[in-house]
Amino acid sequence: MQWMNENGISVYLQMSPKSLFDRLSQSKPNKRPILIGKTEEELFNFITEKLTEREPFYQQAHLIIDHINTPIDDLIILLKKNQ
């Protein structure tokens, strides 16, 4: 994370475990081998665990954006401001 912050702009598009679960449940599992064979409960628990594990790194991003409630036009403006 330090290298990314020193060499560019890092952005964390923050989503809740439920939002990520909904999105991943709709995706093709063969595109994400680590998810193959997981039940819905296992998938939700996996997502929650990984977010908890990675959150300290994600919080170091230059920009932290609520991905669900930020319109794309606002996201573009935020990114341009931080170039």
Side-chain angles (χ1 to χ4, degrees):
M1 192 67 189
Q2 180 181 347
W3 184 89
M4 289 189 291
N5 283 339
E6 290 172 357
N7 292 283
I9 303 286
S10 57
V11 178
Y12 172 24
L13 298 175
Q14 193 172 36
M15 294 179 70
S16 69
K18 173 74 169 103
S19 296
L20 285 168
F21 171 79
D22 291 343
R23 182 173 283 188
L24 288 170
S25 294
Q26 309 268 328
S27 71
K28 296 178 183 174
N30 62 347
K31 298 283 184 184
R32 299 177 182 270
I34 199 164
L35 304 181
I36 293 174
K38 287 191 176 8
T39 65
E40 287 188 355
E41 182 179 352
E42 290 170 332
L43 177 58
F44 184 80
N45 290 338
F46 177 80
I47 292 166
T48 302
E49 178 184 313
K50 289 302 172 190
L51 277 178
T52 300
E53 181 181 303
R54 297 172 181 176
E55 188 71 18
F57 300 101
Y58 294 159
Q59 287 296 322
Q60 295 175 40
H62 290 114
L63 290 172
I64 300 171
I65 298 169
D66 179 349
H67 184 57
I68 298 300
N69 298 312
T70 303
I72 190 71
D73 293 336
D74 292 349
L75 178 58
I76 292 167
I77 290 166
L78 286 169
L79 292 172
K80 285 182 178 180
K81 280 184 186 177
N82 288 281
Q83 286 183 331

